[in-house]
Amino acid sequence: EVQLEQSGAELKKPGESLKISCKASGYTFPNYWLAWVRQKPGKGLEWLGTIYPADSDARYSPSFEGQVTISADKSINTAYLEWSRLKASDTAMFYCARTLFFGSGSHKDILSYWGLGTLVTVSS
Amino acid sequence: SFELTQAPAVSVSPRQAVSITCSGDKLGDKFVSWYQQKPGQSPVLVIHQNNKRPSGIPERFSGANSGNTAALTISETEVTDEADYYCQAWDSATDVVFGGGTKLTVL
């Protein structure tokens, strides 16, 4: 059974750094794109970017490039989303999600398995 | 930049059919996926590649995409289908884009 276990909720102050995680199980972690999606309170879904763990090829939405860092450690089947300096406007739920199809050449946007989300609250 | 536009809300009576639309420039040239999200839950993929249903998604969910508009149709809508629905597509310049979402009310 495919499972994506996300790290727990975070309460941080503006300017602080943060790294949240998504631990995968039940499938061959290196060979499926894994994406991060943001959802601000009461708002819609936003694509941050995705990573192919086999070679750590990370792709970012132009809106988020330089704002976050996506990484993966295939030795422990875990992907990460990181901020160096949080802002209050980063307050949101963040989901990791795995693509439907196997392989680097597949549709990296079709997300068939989702984690439960990590709530990040940034407040002074 | 590439954008997807959805109506904020749609309502339907139980057992009736409803279509939720998503519009974008030359959207018919792209593959569209649809996600269902119920309150407090993670999104669920209900349609991919315009009209393909993942395993476990009921046959009453179908999709189409042509011209500038994609549509998710739910035939014989059930109360349990009440949720937010998001369309999604990939564009070479903007990467992956989601529509703003449509809140479906079944009453």
Side-chain angles (χ1 to χ4, degrees):
Chain A
E1 179 193 6
V2 174
Q3 291 192 334
L4 298 174
E5 184 178 352
Q6 296 192 233
S7 50
E10 300 276 359
L11 175 59
K12 306 292 281 187
K13 291 182 167 46
E16 291 185 331
S17 63
L18 176 64
K19 192 173 189 177
I20 61 175
S21 65
C22 173
K23 183 170 177 60
S25 60
Y27 71 96
T28 319
F29 177 72
N31 299 120
Y32 288 82
W33 289 92
L34 194 138
W36 288 93
V37 175
R38 182 174 83 173
Q39 187 168 39
K40 291 192 171 187
K43 302 298 183 182
L45 305 175
E46 299 174 277
W47 177 277
L48 277 69
T50 188
I51 190 164
Y52 192 69
D55 58 9
S56 288
D57 179 9
R59 313 282 180 90
Y60 295 89
S61 163
S63 299
F64 291 95
E65 182 127 37
Q67 308 303 309
V68 296
T69 301
I70 295 171
S71 60
D73 184 342
K74 60 186 178 184
S75 70
I76 56 172
N77 290 359
T78 302
Y80 302 95
L81 179 64
E82 184 174 14
W83 296 259
S84 59
R85 291 185 60 83
L86 286 160
K87 298 173 284 190
S89 58
D90 291 319
T91 294
M93 180 72 83
F94 292 86
Y95 295 100
C96 64
R98 196 209 83 174
T99 51
L100 177 62
F101 296 116
F102 174 96
S104 63
S106 65
H107 294 274
K108 61 179 70 69
D109 57 319
I110 302 174
L111 304 176
S112 57
Y113 294 94
W114 292 67
L116 295 181
T118 294
L119 180 62
V120 174
T121 303
V122 184
S123 173
S124 54
Chain B
S1 62
F2 185 70
E3 295 181 354
L4 295 175
T5 301
Q6 298 182 241
V10 170
S11 61
V12 64
S13 300
R15 297 178 300 281
Q16 298 302 303
V18 63
S19 288
I20 298 170
T21 61
C22 172
S23 62
D25 186 43
K26 299 179 182 177
L27 186 57
D29 293 342
K30 308 177 190 302
F31 279 124
V32 174
S33 298
W34 291 90
Y35 298 85
Q36 175 196 69
Q37 186 180 32
K38 297 181 179 179
Q41 297 185 19
S42 303
V44 173
L45 178 70
V46 294
I47 292 289
H48 64 92
Q49 293 173 282
N50 298 331
N51 54 20
K52 294 178 172 32
R53 273 180 298 103
S55 174
I57 300 302
E59 288 184 13
R60 64 177 184 277
F61 288 86
S62 63
N65 184 21
S66 179
N68 294 323
T69 304
L72 171 70
T73 299
I74 309 173
S75 62
E76 299 183 9
T77 309
E78 299 183 359
V79 173
T80 55
D81 297 330
E82 190 164 282
D84 293 327
Y85 290 86
Y86 296 91
C87 60
Q88 177 212 45
W90 177 85
D91 175 76
S92 59
T94 318
D95 203 30
V96 179
V97 177
F98 286 100
T102 297
K103 181 178 181 62
L104 176 66
T105 301
V106 183
L107 43 67

